[in-house]
């Protein structure tokens, strides 16, 4: 019996590649090629191992009529059209859980960075400002006793809550779902508007989809305290970035800590480079050796399970297999 054709669009370790090759006819493919060439290249794919860099829309699924599974090495799957995947009988798999700690840690790091002015102080030392006895950056602020508003109370939002409660913060949550998981830390639920108004830090941990795009725009930023910070380690599209830049320039909020942007990387004339009250990282929420390895392992496990006719550990649309 011939092995299923699989295309690999991310870099994986030799042992994971060998695991795929044991069960599949696998080929690496470069996503940098023109889209029409890419779509032609995947015509015989039964499985594709990819990342959210790849856009999987109707044209993508039409181009690969034998496709059974796309498996992404990410928890986010916003560039994939899930109803189209389901209509084409394609299971979409992702990697929840294994990256929760890494993203929660980076969220903490951003909270500390903005509130303690860590990078202003680092630059002050590195540029010789301290040695020259120039005036130091303004003082930071404590986090204990302050209120953290968590938007999206899933795994990552809960883990951030747990960490920040341990550091003495009061926490609130908002989600489109009413009832959190029974194991979620105890935290007070608020409407979105009340959470924005009461929080000293608002942190985003929700999926990006057509309902949540620009969840935070000018009107929402105006509801936040002028002393509050916005933290985003989820997806750039959750925030209207033009409105955010304006709010930061006009002092509507105190600052922002961002690991994700609407356009990644941002254009060289993006205000993000010049706003003094922003700390911005290049989407490194999962960027540790250990976490990325776990994500790739799970992505391969998902891929091989579907190709073997089994329910994968982390499907987005399991109904395709039922
Ligand atoms: C994820 O897993 O979704 C991270 O943001 C990396 O894309």
């Amino acid at each position: 019996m011939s092995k299923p054709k699989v295309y690999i669009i991310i870099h994986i370790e030799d042992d994971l590649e060998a695991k795929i090759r044991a069960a599949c006819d696998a080929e690496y493919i470069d996503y940098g090629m023109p889209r029409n060439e890419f779509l032609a290249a995947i015509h015989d794919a039964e499985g594709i191992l990819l990342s959210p860099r790849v856009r999987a829309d109707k044209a993508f699924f039409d181009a690969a009529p034998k496709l059974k599974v796309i498996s992404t090495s990410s928890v986010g799957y916003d560039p994939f059209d899930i109803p189209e995947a389901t209509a084409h009988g394609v299971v979409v798999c992702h990697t929840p859980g294994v990256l929760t700690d890494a993203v929660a840690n980076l969220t903490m790091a951003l909270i500390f960075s903005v509130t303690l002015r860590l990078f202003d102080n680092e630059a002050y030392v590195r540029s010789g400002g301290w040695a020259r006895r120039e005036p130091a950056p303004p003082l930071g602020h404590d986090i204990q006793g302050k209120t953290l508003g968590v938007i999206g109370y899933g795994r990552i939002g809960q883990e951030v809550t747990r960490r920040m409660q341990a550091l003495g913060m009061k926490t609130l949550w908002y989600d489109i779902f009413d009832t959190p998981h029974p194991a979620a830390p105890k935290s007070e639920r608020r409407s979105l508007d009340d959470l924005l108004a009461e929080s000293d830090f608002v942190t985003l941990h929700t999926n990006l989809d057509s309902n949540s795009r620009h969840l935070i725009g000018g009107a929402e930023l105006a509801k936040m305290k002028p002393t509050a910070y916005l933290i985003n380690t989820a997806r750039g599209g959750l925030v209207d970035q033009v409105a955010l830049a304006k709010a930061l320039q006009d002092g509507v909020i105190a600052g922002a800590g961002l690991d994700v942007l609407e356009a990644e990387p941002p254009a060289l004339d993006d205000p993000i480079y010049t706003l003094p009250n922003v700390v911005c990282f290049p989407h490194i929420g999962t960027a540790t050796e250990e976490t990325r390895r776990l994500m790739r392992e799970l992505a391969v496990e998902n891929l091989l399970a579907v190709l073997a006719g089994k329910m994968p550990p982390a499907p987005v649309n399991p109904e395709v297999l039922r």
Side-chain angles (χ1 to χ4, degrees):
M1 216 174 71
S2 67
K3 292 176 170 177
K5 185 79 197 181
V6 162
Y7 290 101
I8 304 175
I9 311 184
I10 55 172
H11 174 77
I12 54 172
E13 293 86 340
D14 291 349
D15 64 315
L16 294 178
E17 185 182 329
K19 221 170 161 177
I20 296 178
R21 288 195 189 284
C24 309
D25 170 12
E27 211 177 297
Y28 271 100
I29 192 171
D30 181 6
Y31 189 59
M33 67 175 85
R35 177 120 171 125
N36 58 340
E37 286 175 32
F38 172 77
L39 294 184
I42 60 167
H43 71 282
D44 55 350
E46 287 176 61
I48 303 183
L49 187 67
L50 39 56
S51 77
R53 270 186 67 217
V54 177
R55 181 160 48 91
D57 52 9
K58 182 171 182 320
F60 174 101
F61 295 112
D62 284 345
K66 294 190 201 158
L67 194 60
K68 295 192 177 75
V69 54
I70 62 171
S71 181
T72 180
S73 184
S74 65
V75 68
Y77 48 84
D78 41 291
F80 312 145
D81 186 328
I82 304 303
E84 277 299 335
T86 305
H88 284 77
V90 177
V91 186
V92 178
C93 301
H94 67 148
T95 60
V98 293
L99 44 70
T100 301
D101 285 325
V103 180
N105 287 343
L106 190 81
T107 305
M108 278 177 69
L110 277 169
I111 292 173
F112 282 122
S113 299
V114 293
T115 196
L116 298 179
R117 297 183 176 273
L118 294 182
F119 290 95
D120 293 346
N121 279 290
E122 203 268 350
Y124 172 66
V125 174
R126 196 176 284 273
S127 66
W130 192 23
R132 289 190 295 272
R133 298 179 190 278
E134 289 170 5
L139 295 179
H141 292 281
D142 288 332
I143 56 163
Q144 60 273 22
K146 301 275 167 54
T147 299
L148 177 73
V150 176
I151 297 183
Y153 207 43
R155 291 182 192 81
I156 298 173
Q158 291 170 25
E159 206 46 58
V160 169
T161 299
R162 222 167 257 127
R163 280 160 168 67
M164 302 322 283
Q165 283 180 344
L167 296 174
M169 291 191 87
K170 174 180 174 190
T171 60
L172 309 174
W173 66 274
Y174 163 79
D175 204 309
I176 49 169
F177 304 109
D178 292 347
T179 321
H181 190 273
K186 267 204 165 354
S187 178
E188 291 178 35
R189 182 162 200 244
R190 290 287 187 276
S191 67
L192 180 58
D193 283 359
D194 287 350
L195 179 143
L196 292 169
E198 287 178 45
S199 299
D200 299 298
F201 297 83
V202 172
T203 183
L204 305 179
H205 301 288
T206 190
N207 286 344
L208 175 63
D209 57 27
S210 53
N211 294 319
S212 61
R213 184 169 295 281
H214 287 189
L215 180 69
I216 304 296
E220 289 71 28
L221 291 161
K223 287 175 186 148
M224 289 172 63
K225 299 179 187 178
T227 51
Y229 293 89
L230 180 72
I231 308 293
N232 190 3
T233 55
R235 281 294 182 267
L238 296 171
V239 179
D240 175 346
Q241 212 168 293
V242 173
L244 175 62
K246 185 159 175 14
L248 290 165
Q249 268 151 2
D250 296 350
V252 173
I253 62 171
L258 308 173
D259 184 46
V260 287
L261 296 171
E262 282 203 87
E264 294 179 359
L268 282 170
D269 61 352
D270 196 299
I272 217 78
Y273 295 106
T274 48
L275 286 165
N277 45 356
V278 173
V279 170
C280 184
F281 295 144
H283 202 145
I284 55 166
T286 62
T288 66
E289 296 282 354
E290 298 84 352
T291 293
R292 286 280 170 88
R293 166 73 199 191
L294 291 171
M295 292 165 71
R296 290 190 286 264
E297 280 175 9
L298 180 51
V300 170
E301 206 185 321
N302 278 327
L303 175 90
L304 295 179
V306 178
L307 292 175
K310 297 184 196 141
M311 186 59 83
V316 173
N317 54 348
E319 60 274 20
V320 173
L321 289 173
R322 284 193 193 119

